[in-house]
Amino acid sequence: MIDLKLLRDDPERVRASQRARGDDPALVDALLAADEARRAAVTAADNLRAAQKEVSAAVRSATPDERPAVLEKAKALAAAVKEAEAVQAVAEEALRAAHLAVPNLVHPAVPPGGESDYVVLSQTGEVPSYPFDVRDHLAVGEILKAIDTERGAKVSGSRFAFLTGPGALLELALVNMAMARAVAAGFIPMIAPALVRPEAMEGTGFLGAHSAEVYRLADDDLYLVGTSEVPLAAYHSGEVLDDLPRRYAGFSSCFRREAGSHGKDTRGIIRVHQFDKVEMFSYVALEDAEAEHERLLEQEKAFLSDLELPFRTIDVAAGDLGSSASRKFDNEAWLPSQERWLELTSTSNCTDFQARRLGIRHRTAGGPQVAATLNGTMCAVSRTIALLLEVHQRADGSVHVPKALRPFLGGLEEITAP
RNA sequence: GGUGGCGUGUCCGAGCGGCCGAAGGAGCACGCCUCGAAAGCGUGUGACGGUGCAAGCCGUCCGUGGGUUCAAAUCCCACCGCCACCGCCA
């Protein structure tokens, strides 16, 4: 939710943000109107309530013969209050709906336009060339007996896989490495629930445009999270925090229906319904949000560098931002089998948008203030494994293990076919 | 799943249907005392919304949502959560 005070002060800024996203600026004017309607309703109801309180107090002190008349008056006012409160409730609900429809303000530096209008900020490492025919990650994984998608499909359906032998060990190594780095950088490690209540899902904005992506357990009214951003953001919902920043690194399984991606990335484990992830999540003061965003980005870049994966960093265009994000950086690693860049990690600055929705504030000298929230992927495991297998493959099908990962694999320097 | 108990401000904790935004503590802040501190004493100390240039004024909030009533922290209902015991279970 955007700040309504800001909206009243500078509606044109919000309209401009809408245009940058390719969204409808009329939503802004609808919100302004709803805001005004609510204030009118609140004022009317407040005045009636004040009058009712007064008369109500007079009931006690009334003499027996004035009493019936006062009671009569009180009853009439009570009815009027009830009516005014109904009007207020309707106005408040209308405001809420209009409020939810307006996405976060886009940061001024964000490139305008759609999905393809991103700006490349940097490239780290060189695009590799191979003196042999490269295999894709699934082919490598099958040679090494690291991935079994056929049995994944037999047991659970398409887009499910077993990680076997070295694949399973690779996952544990990556998770441990990601956690170790997060801890060293001051993040509190967390094992987060993967099932959450509707409020957590709503509060983080995942039941809006992306609700078709989300698994729901209808019998229990619980949702399977697509990222531990959800439990980590909801963790402090409704709280006033004494001290910021708070930095968490959450590990959880992630579940995605991939409803709109039929036929896309169907081979291997690049796009699966279930994977594990280590996610960084920061709560900071609003004025520190940009610096924190850089910090998260640096963590992500260092992690990928240490895995010796070539990647580029892009500034995602306004039209491709999620509704909560004011700015988003993606790190895209080189996928040799397809000779293209593939999104591997991502970090979003949600400013105070998500926190306002979840009621997360912190104490300042000037009273409680809405916090800012940011999230960033440390390691999305399945996709990282896919890239390690592809990028570090050798002609004989064996795979080089990056130095930084070796301590987490018992010193193993290469993975070879069994 | 069953039975019983409980949810009040930063925390503990009291609260007869109206005089309760709410006693009393603790904590915290400031002041006095002190060479300094502790102790002691005094004062202050919630959030949100509306309105106003402002001081202020008005309204809402006692887990959440409904209901009864002129009037609800207080009575009724539902839900959520916590605790204890029993059953089941990794």
Side-chain angles (χ1 to χ4, degrees):
Chain A
M1 290 183 175
I2 65 163
D3 183 357
L4 287 178
K5 288 202 180 81
L6 187 148
L7 171 77
R8 289 172 205 154
D9 291 347
D10 191 359
E12 190 42 39
R13 192 174 147 202
V14 186
R15 286 189 203 102
S17 170
Q18 286 294 92
R19 285 191 288 269
R21 282 177 178 271
D23 275 0
D24 189 357
L27 292 176
V28 177
D29 294 285
L31 178 56
L32 271 172
D35 179 44
E36 266 196 54
R38 184 197 72 105
R39 279 146 74 196
V42 165
T43 301
D46 273 4
N47 292 339
L48 276 171
R49 264 190 297 260
Q52 189 210 16
K53 276 176 99 164
E54 210 173 310
V55 173
S56 207
V59 170
R60 285 196 85 201
S61 51
T63 61
D65 44 316
E66 342 181 285
R67 208 178 169 82
V70 179
L71 260 181
E72 185 94 1
K73 203 172 161 192
K75 277 185 188 173
L77 270 172
V81 165
K82 200 164 186 179
E83 211 169 299
E85 280 179 343
V87 171
Q88 182 183 340
V90 168
E92 275 170 353
E93 187 43 45
L95 173 65
R96 204 182 106 80
H99 207 172
L100 288 176
V102 176
N104 200 0
L105 278 176
V106 171
H107 187 282
V110 168
E115 194 176 345
S116 56
D117 295 312
Y118 57 83
V119 169
V120 177
L121 297 174
S122 66
Q123 183 178 323
T124 307
E126 296 302 314
V127 170
S129 59
Y130 298 84
F132 54 89
D133 288 341
V134 292
R135 305 175 177 91
D136 72 14
H137 71 276
L138 184 55
V140 177
E142 283 174 343
I143 292 170
L144 301 178
K145 298 260 187 282
I147 301 171
D148 189 342
T149 53
E150 275 190 38
R151 291 193 177 89
K154 177 178 76 179
V155 173
S156 302
S158 68
R159 294 201 193 280
F160 283 94
F162 282 81
L163 290 177
T164 56
L169 294 177
L170 214 40
E171 150 132 9
L172 295 173
L174 283 167
V175 169
N176 282 322
M177 177 175 159
M179 273 297 183
R181 297 186 66 109
V183 169
F187 290 78
I188 297 167
M190 303 269 267
I191 310 289
L195 284 166
V196 299
R197 321 175 96 206
E199 303 90 89
M201 217 59 180
E202 259 163 29
T204 43
F206 283 91
L207 292 187
H210 298 286
S211 56
E213 262 297 282
V214 175
Y215 285 103
R216 172 159 181 260
L217 302 187
D219 285 347
D220 301 282
D221 203 18
L222 288 170
Y223 292 87
L224 281 161
V225 301
T227 162
S228 43
E229 173 191 342
V230 174
L232 292 179
Y235 187 65
H236 285 305
S237 62
E239 296 184 21
V240 182
L241 300 168
D242 287 323
D243 51 329
L244 289 181
R246 301 254 181 141
R247 298 188 174 98
Y248 299 104
F251 170 82
S252 83
S253 292
C254 304
F255 302 87
R256 301 187 180 181
R257 296 185 64 226
E258 298 297 347
S261 58
H262 299 296
K264 198 175 171 190
D265 306 318
T266 48
R267 199 175 140 79
I269 57 170
I270 284 175
R271 192 175 293 277
V272 284
H273 287 308
Q274 176 184 345
F275 62 97
D276 296 321
K277 186 154 69 89
V278 175
E279 179 85 0
M280 297 177 283
F281 195 90
S282 301
Y283 298 82
V284 303
L286 185 57
E287 58 271 24
D288 298 331
E290 277 192 50
E292 186 70 11
H293 201 195
E294 284 300 324
R295 195 187 156 100
L296 294 180
L297 180 60
E298 288 316 309
Q299 282 299 321
E300 293 183 348
K301 290 171 76 170
F303 187 76
L304 297 183
S305 295
D306 278 2
L307 290 179
E308 300 166 28
L309 295 173
F311 66 97
R312 65 179 192 177
T313 303
I314 66 169
D315 200 341
V316 173
D320 203 21
L321 291 175
S323 64
S324 297
S326 120
R327 195 174 196 186
K328 178 159 96 162
F329 301 123
D330 281 358
N331 293 304
E332 300 181 325
W334 183 254
L335 185 64
S337 64
Q338 296 180 29
E339 299 193 311
R340 67 175 176 104
W341 300 101
L342 174 72
E343 182 186 334
L344 187 52
T345 59
S346 175
T347 176
S348 293
N349 179 0
C350 296
T351 63
D352 55 355
F353 186 87
Q354 195 173 53
R356 182 166 291 109
R357 208 160 159 162
L358 288 165
I360 302 163
R361 291 170 296 166
H362 65 105
R363 295 186 200 291
T364 69
Q369 203 158 39
V370 179
T373 59
L374 301 97
N375 60 79
T377 323
M378 185 64 99
C379 183
V381 177
S382 291
R383 210 170 260 200
T384 305
I385 289 175
L387 279 153
L388 287 172
L389 295 184
E390 284 209 9
V391 171
H392 297 318
Q393 67 179 294
R394 296 176 179 139
D396 64 358
S398 68
V399 167
H400 155 80
V401 176
K403 275 199 181 64
L405 190 55
R406 290 176 193 171
F408 300 95
L409 278 171
L412 194 71
E413 293 179 13
E414 59 174 5
I415 303 171
T416 52

PDB file of all heavy atoms in Angstrom, chain A residues 209-222:
ATOM      1  N   ALA A 209      -2.100 -10.355  -8.488  1.00  0.00           N
ATOM      2  CA  ALA A 209      -1.956 -10.763  -9.882  1.00  0.00           C
ATOM      3  C   ALA A 209      -1.402 -12.184 -10.017  1.00  0.00           C
ATOM      4  O   ALA A 209      -1.623 -12.847 -11.022  1.00  0.00           O
ATOM      5  CB  ALA A 209      -1.036  -9.783 -10.603  1.00  0.00           C
ATOM      6  N   HIS A 210      -0.691 -12.670  -8.981  1.00  0.00           N
ATOM      7  CA  HIS A 210      -0.017 -13.961  -9.108  1.00  0.00           C
ATOM      8  C   HIS A 210      -0.717 -15.077  -8.365  1.00  0.00           C
ATOM      9  O   HIS A 210      -0.115 -16.119  -8.080  1.00  0.00           O
ATOM     10  CB  HIS A 210       1.421 -13.845  -8.604  1.00  0.00           C
ATOM     11  CG  HIS A 210       2.232 -12.881  -9.407  1.00  0.00           C
ATOM     12  ND1 HIS A 210       2.680 -13.171 -10.680  1.00  0.00           N
ATOM     13  CD2 HIS A 210       2.641 -11.624  -9.147  1.00  0.00           C
ATOM     14  CE1 HIS A 210       3.334 -12.129 -11.154  1.00  0.00           C
ATOM     15  NE2 HIS A 210       3.329 -11.168 -10.245  1.00  0.00           N
ATOM     16  N   SER A 211      -1.993 -14.877  -8.042  1.00  0.00           N
ATOM     17  CA  SER A 211      -2.656 -15.872  -7.198  1.00  0.00           C
ATOM     18  C   SER A 211      -2.739 -17.234  -7.885  1.00  0.00           C
ATOM     19  O   SER A 211      -2.785 -18.264  -7.220  1.00  0.00           O
ATOM     20  CB  SER A 211      -4.043 -15.383  -6.795  1.00  0.00           C
ATOM     21  OG  SER A 211      -4.794 -15.079  -7.941  1.00  0.00           O
ATOM     22  N   ALA A 212      -2.707 -17.263  -9.203  1.00  0.00           N
ATOM     23  CA  ALA A 212      -2.786 -18.542  -9.909  1.00  0.00           C
ATOM     24  C   ALA A 212      -1.503 -19.347  -9.747  1.00  0.00           C
ATOM     25  O   ALA A 212      -1.473 -20.553 -10.016  1.00  0.00           O
ATOM     26  CB  ALA A 212      -3.057 -18.302 -11.395  1.00  0.00           C
ATOM     27  N   GLU A 213      -0.437 -18.699  -9.272  1.00  0.00           N
ATOM     28  CA  GLU A 213       0.857 -19.345  -9.099  1.00  0.00           C
ATOM     29  C   GLU A 213       0.939 -20.128  -7.798  1.00  0.00           C
ATOM     30  O   GLU A 213       1.893 -20.853  -7.546  1.00  0.00           O
ATOM     31  CB  GLU A 213       1.936 -18.244  -9.034  1.00  0.00           C
ATOM     32  CG  GLU A 213       2.663 -17.997 -10.327  1.00  0.00           C
ATOM     33  CD  GLU A 213       3.418 -19.227 -10.747  1.00  0.00           C
ATOM     34  OE1 GLU A 213       4.485 -19.469 -10.175  1.00  0.00           O
ATOM     35  OE2 GLU A 213       2.927 -19.949 -11.630  1.00  0.00           O
ATOM     36  N   VAL A 214      -0.041 -19.879  -6.927  1.00  0.00           N
ATOM     37  CA  VAL A 214       0.079 -20.318  -5.540  1.00  0.00           C
ATOM     38  C   VAL A 214      -0.724 -21.582  -5.275  1.00  0.00           C
ATOM     39  O   VAL A 214      -1.881 -21.689  -5.674  1.00  0.00           O
ATOM     40  CB  VAL A 214      -0.427 -19.191  -4.613  1.00  0.00           C
ATOM     41  CG1 VAL A 214      -0.427 -19.640  -3.165  1.00  0.00           C
ATOM     42  CG2 VAL A 214       0.417 -17.941  -4.787  1.00  0.00           C
ATOM     43  N   TYR A 215      -0.121 -22.544  -4.585  1.00  0.00           N
ATOM     44  CA  TYR A 215      -0.835 -23.734  -4.139  1.00  0.00           C
ATOM     45  C   TYR A 215      -1.617 -23.422  -2.876  1.00  0.00           C
ATOM     46  O   TYR A 215      -1.109 -22.777  -1.967  1.00  0.00           O
ATOM     47  CB  TYR A 215       0.146 -24.851  -3.790  1.00  0.00           C
ATOM     48  CG  TYR A 215       0.771 -25.548  -4.961  1.00  0.00           C
ATOM     49  CD1 TYR A 215       2.081 -25.277  -5.336  1.00  0.00           C
ATOM     50  CD2 TYR A 215       0.069 -26.518  -5.679  1.00  0.00           C
ATOM     51  CE1 TYR A 215       2.684 -25.943  -6.387  1.00  0.00           C
ATOM     52  CE2 TYR A 215       0.665 -27.191  -6.732  1.00  0.00           C
ATOM     53  CZ  TYR A 215       1.974 -26.905  -7.090  1.00  0.00           C
ATOM     54  OH  TYR A 215       2.554 -27.566  -8.127  1.00  0.00           O
ATOM     55  N   ARG A 216      -2.851 -23.925  -2.842  1.00  0.00           N
ATOM     56  CA  ARG A 216      -3.664 -23.705  -1.653  1.00  0.00           C
ATOM     57  C   ARG A 216      -4.202 -25.033  -1.156  1.00  0.00           C
ATOM     58  O   ARG A 216      -4.638 -25.876  -1.940  1.00  0.00           O
ATOM     59  CB  ARG A 216      -4.843 -22.793  -2.018  1.00  0.00           C
ATOM     60  CG  ARG A 216      -5.857 -22.644  -0.918  1.00  0.00           C
ATOM     61  CD  ARG A 216      -6.698 -21.393  -1.070  1.00  0.00           C
ATOM     62  NE  ARG A 216      -7.632 -21.304   0.045  1.00  0.00           N
ATOM     63  CZ  ARG A 216      -8.912 -21.662  -0.025  1.00  0.00           C
ATOM     64  NH1 ARG A 216      -9.412 -22.116  -1.167  1.00  0.00           N
ATOM     65  NH2 ARG A 216      -9.690 -21.566   1.032  1.00  0.00           N
ATOM     66  N   LEU A 217      -4.148 -25.232   0.163  1.00  0.00           N
ATOM     67  CA  LEU A 217      -4.749 -26.413   0.759  1.00  0.00           C
ATOM     68  C   LEU A 217      -6.138 -26.013   1.247  1.00  0.00           C
ATOM     69  O   LEU A 217      -6.286 -25.411   2.306  1.00  0.00           O
ATOM     70  CB  LEU A 217      -3.904 -26.915   1.931  1.00  0.00           C
ATOM     71  CG  LEU A 217      -2.452 -27.260   1.608  1.00  0.00           C
ATOM     72  CD1 LEU A 217      -1.784 -27.896   2.818  1.00  0.00           C
ATOM     73  CD2 LEU A 217      -2.360 -28.207   0.416  1.00  0.00           C
ATOM     74  N   ALA A 218      -7.139 -26.342   0.447  1.00  0.00           N
ATOM     75  CA  ALA A 218      -8.488 -25.856   0.714  1.00  0.00           C
ATOM     76  C   ALA A 218      -9.043 -26.393   2.031  1.00  0.00           C
ATOM     77  O   ALA A 218      -9.717 -25.673   2.765  1.00  0.00           O
ATOM     78  CB  ALA A 218      -9.409 -26.225  -0.433  1.00  0.00           C
ATOM     79  N   ASP A 219      -8.721 -27.626   2.363  1.00  0.00           N
ATOM     80  CA  ASP A 219      -9.281 -28.210   3.586  1.00  0.00           C
ATOM     81  C   ASP A 219      -8.826 -27.483   4.843  1.00  0.00           C
ATOM     82  O   ASP A 219      -9.523 -27.466   5.850  1.00  0.00           O
ATOM     83  CB  ASP A 219      -8.884 -29.691   3.703  1.00  0.00           C
ATOM     84  CG  ASP A 219      -9.691 -30.545   2.734  1.00  0.00           C
ATOM     85  OD1 ASP A 219     -10.692 -30.028   2.191  1.00  0.00           O
ATOM     86  OD2 ASP A 219      -9.309 -31.709   2.504  1.00  0.00           O
ATOM     87  N   ASP A 220      -7.640 -26.904   4.771  1.00  0.00           N
ATOM     88  CA  ASP A 220      -7.085 -26.267   5.968  1.00  0.00           C
ATOM     89  C   ASP A 220      -6.962 -24.759   5.836  1.00  0.00           C
ATOM     90  O   ASP A 220      -6.516 -24.096   6.761  1.00  0.00           O
ATOM     91  CB  ASP A 220      -5.708 -26.868   6.259  1.00  0.00           C
ATOM     92  CG  ASP A 220      -5.798 -28.363   6.465  1.00  0.00           C
ATOM     93  OD1 ASP A 220      -6.212 -28.780   7.541  1.00  0.00           O
ATOM     94  OD2 ASP A 220      -5.496 -29.119   5.507  1.00  0.00           O
ATOM     95  N   ASP A 221      -7.343 -24.231   4.685  1.00  0.00           N
ATOM     96  CA  ASP A 221      -7.181 -22.814   4.394  1.00  0.00           C
ATOM     97  C   ASP A 221      -5.755 -22.342   4.661  1.00  0.00           C
ATOM     98  O   ASP A 221      -5.516 -21.350   5.341  1.00  0.00           O
ATOM     99  CB  ASP A 221      -8.194 -21.968   5.178  1.00  0.00           C
ATOM    100  CG  ASP A 221      -8.432 -20.613   4.497  1.00  0.00           C
ATOM    101  OD1 ASP A 221      -8.096 -20.488   3.304  1.00  0.00           O
ATOM    102  OD2 ASP A 221      -8.936 -19.694   5.160  1.00  0.00           O
ATOM    103  N   LEU A 222      -4.808 -23.078   4.109  1.00  0.00           N
ATOM    104  CA  LEU A 222      -3.399 -22.708   4.204  1.00  0.00           C
ATOM    105  C   LEU A 222      -2.809 -22.668   2.802  1.00  0.00           C
ATOM    106  O   LEU A 222      -3.308 -23.330   1.885  1.00  0.00           O
ATOM    107  CB  LEU A 222      -2.631 -23.737   5.040  1.00  0.00           C
ATOM    108  CG  LEU A 222      -2.899 -23.734   6.543  1.00  0.00           C
ATOM    109  CD1 LEU A 222      -2.269 -24.959   7.185  1.00  0.00           C
ATOM    110  CD2 LEU A 222      -2.384 -22.456   7.192  1.00  0.00           C
TER     111      LEU A 222
END
